[in-house]
């Protein structure tokens, strides 16, 4: 829709009889005519309904549509009116539900199935069902009914019935309750007719309060200004990290001794040392952006160091492609690692510590199968090999290392506490046999450490001061510290933060891998995914992502679902300041300016920025205006309406940066629905003041087609807000999440766009040049629409 104008047009005259014909009572109709806004809305609703009279029930609903309809969803009002006229929506409760649903989706595409479910279309509540539920409600409230008799709050009783039958007929419910109360209580007595005296509320005792000056907005807290203030300094790491409770009654209080802490501080110079430890088995997603913000951000804020450490303990899942991608994307996100390390760099040290653990009687070689281990853990039973002699385990572990034992025939397990309530203390596996060469370590090893064994150990070996991870690892704290206490090693400070969950997508690597490998999407960098590569390809910057992460904070709050609108708000905020404006027409409709002479081309100036000075040439781009221009097909209608700002027969609109044009004729193709050309006249003196302002593209020279570009529009990848919780999550994929428009028209200045360039296509959204672009044809991805659905005031 085009931009607005100066002031508001007067509402059309609407006779009182027209409202009475809708079944409205006299008073309501008269009050409506006093309010010009209500009158205008009613006139529009009546016009869209195409009726002159109707039943009272329908008329009251249409009146509610006119007075309550959300302004952000006007495009869907005709659909709602159709449902009211057909009595598919037949009561106020259904209408209120419909209005709420439409308010939430705004101008977005309407999913009819979800709409009908939301407002109870097709749900029939029979009189028998109402009677049965009224009986139940009255029985539940019988004590109060007998005590209060006719003073009982009937509205509360109706509400209880309506809660169970939201689409039931409210009048029928009230009548049934009144009838049943009369049967239960009999005729009214004198006492029933006396109005109860309302008890006066006791005024609370006055408490003197200090007068506080009211500020226009609260100043940001220290944590908002610096989210890293919650973390302790390295020299404070002497307190008890956690208490490890054993089924025997013993308690280990994990903490660093004075000697261990001093040795650590000497090695690090007292600096903060963190690590970002991704597993190289896929591309990073926006959840990893939060981890980077915390790990790298804390180190940077404290003038410390952050390792990029590849957790490469599983040689079967890791690929060089993923390692290369992770290093490159970390740099793109604005972070510089202190060092790039691999868990496999420490394989020798990890092996030696495993031998030490066996010697201490705290690890053993086990021969149980995976199924047996699971069964014994559930039953809290020790493995038959748990108490084998230390020397026997040492020899078997050496045989494992030398490749003398078959894969799956033995594991090394930590001797923790099989009877512990915490399953992460149930003798976790430290090593397993895999006859697979390692991408980084080669074929030196055929035994590989588990995450539970290696993670805490490498944290300690790298002198990490703050080991930061998501909340699901909170339950692993005892096993993390058990191993470090058992070996007398330095213990990092562990802190868990809430995982980032965003609506209408999945971020499980397993699910992302399926989407990619089964070709539901076009690779790891598909712009519909919230992988960092996908976001970048879509046109999102690392600064917008980091701004979003900072906005949601790094607290230990629950893993609540964050609406994707909130991310879009930060993207839109940045692009509004950095993306120059230009014009592209997605679905062109030819308009011939009949009063512009053949062959004439006017070079007009388009503004790259809304506040650009008219004298600043660098803030403008050239827009040719010729006899043949193109507008969006959706910007023309054969039938005009008062809330429509596009072009229609006999109507004038303004072409952005150009002139007013008035439609004088419509040229049809083979059918009345096939409009092939609009003929119009332009007003070179710009004497008209118009509300409708359209974007457009013209032939740069007579007979030469405008610049053709491909434009890709994206919607949410999944229909549900939380598809990851669905059993058939692939069945929730939005089959209309990508639309490719092959032959859009663009202004000539866009021909020089290159990869990395971003623009605001006026009235359409923000777009970025895609990697599929060639010298012959540019491809643009829509990054985000212009509409800010997160909130006009921005995030709070």
């Amino acid at each position: 829709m085009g931009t607005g104008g100066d002031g508001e047009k007067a509402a059309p005259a609407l006779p009182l009889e027209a409202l009475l014909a809708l079944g409205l009572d006299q008073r309501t109709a008269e009050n409506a005519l006093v309010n010009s806004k209500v009158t205008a809305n009613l006139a529009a609703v009546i016009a869209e309904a195409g009726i002159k009279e109707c039943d009272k029930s329908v008329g009251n609903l249409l009146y509610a549509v006119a007075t309550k309809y959300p302004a952000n969803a006007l495009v869907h009002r005709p659909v709602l009116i159709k449902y009211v006229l057909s009595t598919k929506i037949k009561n106020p409760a259904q209408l209120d539900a419909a209005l709420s649903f439409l308010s939430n989706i705004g101008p977005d595409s309407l999913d009819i199935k979800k709409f009908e479910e939301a407002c109870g279309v097709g749900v029939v509540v029979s009189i028998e069902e109402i009677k049965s539920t009224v009986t139940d409600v009255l029985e539940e409230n019988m004590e109060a009914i007998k005590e209060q008799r006719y003073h009982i709050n009937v509205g509360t009783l109706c509400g209880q019935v309506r809660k169970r039958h939201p689409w039931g007929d409210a009048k029928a419910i009230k009548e049934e309750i009144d009838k049943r109360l009369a049967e239960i209580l009999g005729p009214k007595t004198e006492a029933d007719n006396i109005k109860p005296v309302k008890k006066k509320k006791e005024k609370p005792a006055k408490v003197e309060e200090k007068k506080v000056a009211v500020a226009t907005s609260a100043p940001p807290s220290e944590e908002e200004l610096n989210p890293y203030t919650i973390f302790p300094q390295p020299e404070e790491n002497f307190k008890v990290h956690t208490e490890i409770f054993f089924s025997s009654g013993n308690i280990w209080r994990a903490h660093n001794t004075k000697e261990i802490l001093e040795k650590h501080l000497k090695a690090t110079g007292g600096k903060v040392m963190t690590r970002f430890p991704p597993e190289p088995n896929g591309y990073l997603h926006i959840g990893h952006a939060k981890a980077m913000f915390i790990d790298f951000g804390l180190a940077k804020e404290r003038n410390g160091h952050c390792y990029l450490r590849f957790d490469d303990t599983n040689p079967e899942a890791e690929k060089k492609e993923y390692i290369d991608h992770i290093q490159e994307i970390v740099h793109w996100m604005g972070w510089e690692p202190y060092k790039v390390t691999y868990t496999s760099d420490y394989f020798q040290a990890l092996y030696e510590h495993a031998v030490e653990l066996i010697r201490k009687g705290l690890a053993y070689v086990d021969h149980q199968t995976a199924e047996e281990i699971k069964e014994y853990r559930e039953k809290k039973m020790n493995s038959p090999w748990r108490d084998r002699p230390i020397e026997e385990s040492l020899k078997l572990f050496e045989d494992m290392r030398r490749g003398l034992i078959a894969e799956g025939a033995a594991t090394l397990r930590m001797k923790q506490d099989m009877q512990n309530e915490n399953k992460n203390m149930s003798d976790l596996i430290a090593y397993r046999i895999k006859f697979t060469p390692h991408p980084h370590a080669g074929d030196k090893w055929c035994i590989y450490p588990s995450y539970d064994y290696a993670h805490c150990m490498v944290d300690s070996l790298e002198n990490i001061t703050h080991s930061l991870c998501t909340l699901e690892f909170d339950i692993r704290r005892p096993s993390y510290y058990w191993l470090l206490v058992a070996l007398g090693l330095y213990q990092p400070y562990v802190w868990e933060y809430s995982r980032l969950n965003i609506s209408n997508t999945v971020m499980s690597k397993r699910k992302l891998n399926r989407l990619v490998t089964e070709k539901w999407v076009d690779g790891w960098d598909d712009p519909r995914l919230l992988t960092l590569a996908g976001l970048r390809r879509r046109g999102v910057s690392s600064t917008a992502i980091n701004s979003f992460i900072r906005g949601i904070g790094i607290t230990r709050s629950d893993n609540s679902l964050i609406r994707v609108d909130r991310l879009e708000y930060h993207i839109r905020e940045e692009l509004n300041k950095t993306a120059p404006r230009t014009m592209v027409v997605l679905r062109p409709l030819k308009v011939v300016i009949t009063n512009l002479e053949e062959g004439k081309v006017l070079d007009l100036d388009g503004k790259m920025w809304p506040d650009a000075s008219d004298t600043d040439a660098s803030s403008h781009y050239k827009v040719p205006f010729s006899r043949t221009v193109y507008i969006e097909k959706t910007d023309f209608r054969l039938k005009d309406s008062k809330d429509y700002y596009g072009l229609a027969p006999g109507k004038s609109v303004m072409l952005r940066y150009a002139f007013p044009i008035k439609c004088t004729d419509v040229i049809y193709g083979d059918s009345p629905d096939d409009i092939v050309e609009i003929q119009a006249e332009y007003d070179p003196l710009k004497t008209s003041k118009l509300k409708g302002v359209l974007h457009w593209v013209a032939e740069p020279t007579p007979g030469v087609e405008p610049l053709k570009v491909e434009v890709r529009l994206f919607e949410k990848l999944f229909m549900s807000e939380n598809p990851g919780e669905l059993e058939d999550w692939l069945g929730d994929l939005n089959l209309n999440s990508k639309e490719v428009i092959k032959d859009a028209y663009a202004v000539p200045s866009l021909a020089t766009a290159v990869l990395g360039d971003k623009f605001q296509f006026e009235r359409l959204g923000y777009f970025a040049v895609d990697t599929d672009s060639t010298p012959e044809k540019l491809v643009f991805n829509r990054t985000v629409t212009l509409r800010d659905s997160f909130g006009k005031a921005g995030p709070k």
Side-chain angles (χ1 to χ4, degrees):
M1 192 176 286
T3 54
D6 302 320
E8 193 176 295
K9 286 187 178 179
L14 199 62
L16 177 64
E17 292 73 23
L19 300 187
L20 296 176
L22 295 181
L24 300 183
D25 62 65
Q26 184 95 9
R27 187 174 178 182
T28 301
E30 288 172 349
N31 287 340
L33 291 176
V34 173
N35 188 318
S36 60
K37 190 172 181 182
V38 172
T39 306
N41 287 340
L42 273 168
V45 167
I46 291 169
E48 287 174 19
I51 58 168
K52 291 185 177 179
E53 58 181 1
C54 62
D55 293 337
K56 183 177 180 179
S57 58
V58 172
N60 284 331
L61 292 178
L62 290 176
Y63 178 82
V65 171
T67 53
K68 294 182 179 180
Y69 197 91
N72 68 327
L74 283 171
V75 66
H76 302 307
R77 189 167 67 185
V79 176
L80 178 59
I81 290 170
K82 209 177 284 184
Y83 273 76
V84 171
L85 294 176
S86 66
T87 67
K88 288 183 177 178
I89 289 177
K90 54 191 174 186
N91 59 53
Q94 282 185 293
L95 184 64
D96 287 343
L99 294 172
S100 175
F101 181 91
L102 294 171
S103 176
N104 286 332
I105 67 162
D108 291 348
S109 58
L110 179 61
D111 185 322
I112 291 295
K113 185 179 178 184
K114 287 187 176 180
F115 171 72
E116 291 187 345
E117 287 175 357
C119 48
V121 171
V123 177
V124 177
V125 182
S126 66
I127 291 296
E128 287 70 26
E129 286 177 293
I130 289 174
K131 287 181 177 180
S132 174
T133 304
V134 167
T135 300
D136 293 341
V137 168
L138 294 182
E139 285 178 358
E140 290 164 10
N141 292 274
M142 191 57 71
E143 189 174 336
I145 290 169
K146 289 183 176 177
E147 182 183 339
Q148 299 174 39
R149 291 184 55 79
Y150 285 101
H151 294 144
I152 191 79
N153 190 328
V154 176
T156 301
L157 298 175
C158 288
Q160 291 178 29
V161 177
R162 291 291 302 279
K163 194 172 182 181
R164 301 176 201 188
H165 295 304
W167 316 124
D169 187 308
K171 186 180 178 183
I173 291 170
K174 171 73 164 52
E175 288 174 352
E176 181 63 18
I177 288 175
D178 288 342
K179 176 187 167 189
R180 293 297 308 283
L181 285 175
E183 291 172 0
I184 294 167
L185 300 174
K188 283 187 178 182
T189 64
E190 276 188 28
D192 291 330
N193 291 319
I194 298 172
K195 288 185 178 180
V197 180
K198 290 184 178 179
K199 291 182 180 179
K200 290 185 178 180
K201 291 183 179 178
E202 289 184 14
K203 292 183 179 179
K206 288 186 178 179
V207 179
E208 286 192 9
E209 295 178 356
K210 293 181 181 179
K211 291 184 179 179
V212 181
V214 178
T216 53
S217 61
S221 66
E222 185 180 2
E223 190 174 314
E224 286 174 319
L225 292 171
N226 181 0
Y228 307 106
T229 55
I230 58 178
F231 298 115
Q233 296 293 346
E235 61 270 19
E236 297 175 308
N237 191 5
F238 54 82
K239 300 172 185 175
V240 173
H241 296 113
T242 195
E243 291 184 323
I244 306 169
F245 296 93
F246 292 85
S247 58
S248 62
N250 289 339
I251 302 173
W252 287 7
R253 292 180 173 84
H255 68 285
N256 287 313
T257 63
K258 183 182 177 183
E259 294 75 25
I260 288 176
L261 183 58
E262 285 177 352
K263 183 181 177 184
H264 159 79
L265 293 171
K266 186 177 179 181
T268 62
K271 284 186 176 291
V272 164
M273 307 291 288
T274 61
R275 83 288 176 270
F276 173 59
E279 189 176 353
N281 61 356
Y283 278 45
L284 301 188
H285 54 65
I286 197 168
H288 294 104
K290 181 174 182 178
M292 282 188 257
F293 182 83
I294 298 172
D295 294 325
F296 284 100
L298 172 60
K300 184 177 181 180
E301 192 273 333
R302 300 281 177 90
N303 195 30
H305 299 303
C306 181
Y307 288 90
L308 168 57
R309 183 207 304 158
F310 289 103
D311 177 23
D312 59 345
T313 56
N314 183 1
E316 294 171 332
E318 285 122 30
K319 292 181 182 177
K320 189 175 186 303
E321 173 196 353
Y322 301 144
I323 291 172
D324 292 343
H325 156 73
I326 290 170
Q327 292 197 64
E328 187 271 330
I329 211 75
V330 166
H331 178 76
W332 177 75
M333 284 297 298
W335 306 116
E336 291 299 328
Y338 168 55
K339 288 180 182 177
V340 177
T341 61
Y342 298 78
T343 297
S344 56
D345 294 339
Y346 303 94
F347 275 180
Q348 184 61 40
L350 294 174
Y351 171 77
E352 290 169 4
H353 280 303
V355 171
E356 182 184 353
L357 211 57
I358 297 170
R359 291 190 189 281
K360 288 188 170 188
L362 295 174
Y364 60 97
V365 172
D366 188 31
H367 302 290
Q368 286 186 303
T369 63
E371 291 75 19
E372 289 170 336
I373 289 174
K374 183 181 178 182
E375 179 189 349
Y376 275 56
R377 277 180 174 160
E378 288 172 354
K379 295 178 178 178
K380 297 185 178 181
M381 292 170 53
N382 291 344
S383 164
W385 290 278
R386 193 176 199 267
D387 296 319
R388 72 189 330 160
I390 288 173
E391 291 303 321
E392 194 174 302
S393 280
L394 284 171
K395 180 183 182 304
L396 287 168
F397 189 50
E398 176 64 14
D399 288 347
M400 287 170 62
R401 185 188 70 81
R402 293 171 59 196
L404 301 178
I405 299 178
E407 189 168 327
T411 58
L412 182 71
R413 293 178 67 182
M414 295 177 268
K415 194 183 286 188
Q416 295 168 305
D417 184 10
M418 286 297 293
Q419 285 71 47
N420 203 296
E421 292 300 322
N422 186 339
K423 296 300 180 186
N424 287 283
M425 286 290 288
S426 299
D427 290 10
L428 299 181
I429 291 172
Y431 272 88
R432 69 275 199 217
I433 302 167
K434 283 184 183 290
F435 292 110
T436 305
H438 192 280
H440 188 66
D443 56 4
K444 181 181 177 182
W445 299 91
C446 62
I447 56 169
Y448 293 102
S450 67
Y451 171 87
D452 292 299
Y453 176 79
H455 180 65
C456 59
M457 198 91 74
V458 178
D459 276 355
S460 183
L461 294 171
E462 289 187 339
N463 275 303
I464 300 303
T465 56
H466 300 76
S467 179
L468 309 170
C469 52
T470 48
L471 275 171
E472 64 262 34
F473 291 98
D474 180 59
I475 197 171
R476 295 188 179 187
R477 266 194 185 213
S479 61
Y480 181 102
Y481 282 116
W482 178 90
L483 187 54
L484 298 180
V485 171
L487 292 168
L489 297 175
Y490 160 75
Q491 302 166 26
Y493 169 79
V494 172
W495 192 83
E496 300 90 359
Y497 53 87
S498 59
R499 184 175 183 161
L500 179 57
N501 295 306
I502 298 182
S503 67
N504 301 95
T505 192
V506 292
M507 290 196 290
S508 148
K509 273 194 182 177
R510 181 180 60 81
K511 288 185 170 67
L512 286 171
N513 194 53
R514 278 196 68 185
L515 289 174
V516 173
T517 56
E518 295 177 14
K519 301 192 183 304
W520 294 100
V521 294
D522 305 322
W524 286 98
D525 65 345
D526 188 302
R528 291 168 291 178
L529 296 176
L530 290 193
T531 58
L532 296 177
L535 286 166
R536 175 170 60 181
R537 186 173 179 184
R538 187 161 177 156
V540 181
S541 72
S542 59
T543 51
I545 296 170
N546 282 326
S547 173
F548 163 68
I549 299 297
R550 178 179 280 273
I552 60 176
I554 56 175
T555 62
R556 282 176 57 89
S557 60
D558 63 353
N559 298 322
S560 56
L561 194 68
I562 293 171
R563 287 180 60 86
V564 72
D565 309 33
R566 192 164 177 178
L567 170 62
E568 290 176 351
Y569 166 82
H570 288 274
I571 297 167
R572 197 178 284 109
E573 279 288 286
E574 179 177 277
L575 289 172
N576 186 45
K577 299 169 187 172
T578 59
R581 277 60 172 168
T582 190
M583 291 194 291
V584 171
V585 173
L586 299 183
R587 300 168 184 88
L589 175 61
K590 186 177 181 180
V591 179
V592 176
I593 312 296
T594 57
N595 63 333
L596 182 65
E597 61 189 83
E598 295 273 4
K600 187 170 184 178
V601 178
L602 302 176
D603 267 340
L604 307 178
D605 287 324
K607 285 187 175 184
M608 293 182 183
W609 312 102
D611 54 355
S613 167
D614 291 339
T615 59
D616 181 7
S618 65
S619 295
H620 292 76
Y621 64 96
K622 290 297 177 185
V623 188
F625 180 75
S626 61
R627 187 177 169 86
T628 301
V629 302
Y630 294 88
I631 64 171
E632 295 285 354
K633 284 184 178 177
T634 51
D635 281 336
F636 178 79
R637 283 186 194 171
L638 289 171
K639 187 178 180 182
D640 195 14
S641 63
K642 295 205 172 285
D643 60 346
Y644 173 62
Y645 297 107
L647 192 62
K651 183 179 181 181
S652 297
V653 295
M654 175 66 77
L655 294 184
R656 187 81 158 139
Y657 309 122
F659 307 96
I661 63 168
K662 181 178 182 178
C663 175
T664 57
D665 200 2
V666 180
I667 310 301
Y668 296 91
D670 296 333
S671 70
D673 296 327
D674 182 21
I675 299 172
V676 295
E677 183 182 304
I678 303 299
Q679 293 191 346
E681 293 180 353
Y682 87 113
D683 174 9
L685 300 179
K686 302 184 181 180
T687 54
S688 309
K689 286 188 176 180
L690 304 167
K691 279 189 174 184
V693 179
L694 308 183
H695 64 283
W696 55 279
V697 172
E699 288 184 350
T701 54
V704 176
E705 194 176 28
L707 174 67
K708 271 190 178 180
V709 296
E710 180 176 310
V711 177
R712 298 171 182 175
L713 307 178
F714 303 106
E715 298 292 338
K716 295 178 177 70
L717 185 57
F718 289 90
M719 303 298 291
S720 301
E721 283 205 336
N722 199 354
E725 287 189 345
L726 302 176
E727 188 173 342
D728 180 21
W729 61 278
L730 285 172
D732 190 55
L733 279 164
N734 178 6
L735 301 180
N736 300 311
S737 61
K738 178 181 179 180
E739 181 183 2
V740 178
I741 300 169
K742 292 282 187 184
D743 296 318
Y745 283 161
V747 292
S749 58
L750 263 184
T752 58
V754 295
L755 189 63
D757 286 348
K758 300 168 188 178
F759 303 90
Q760 185 196 102
F761 292 178
E762 296 212 32
R763 297 179 64 226
L764 299 175
Y766 296 98
F767 292 77
V769 179
D770 186 69
T771 51
D772 287 342
S773 293
T774 66
E776 291 75 35
K777 193 166 190 181
L778 286 166
V779 178
F780 291 91
N781 294 323
R782 182 156 69 185
T783 308
V784 68
T785 59
L786 295 175
R787 186 177 65 90
D788 179 4
S789 57
F790 179 56
K792 290 181 180 177
K796 295 177 181 178

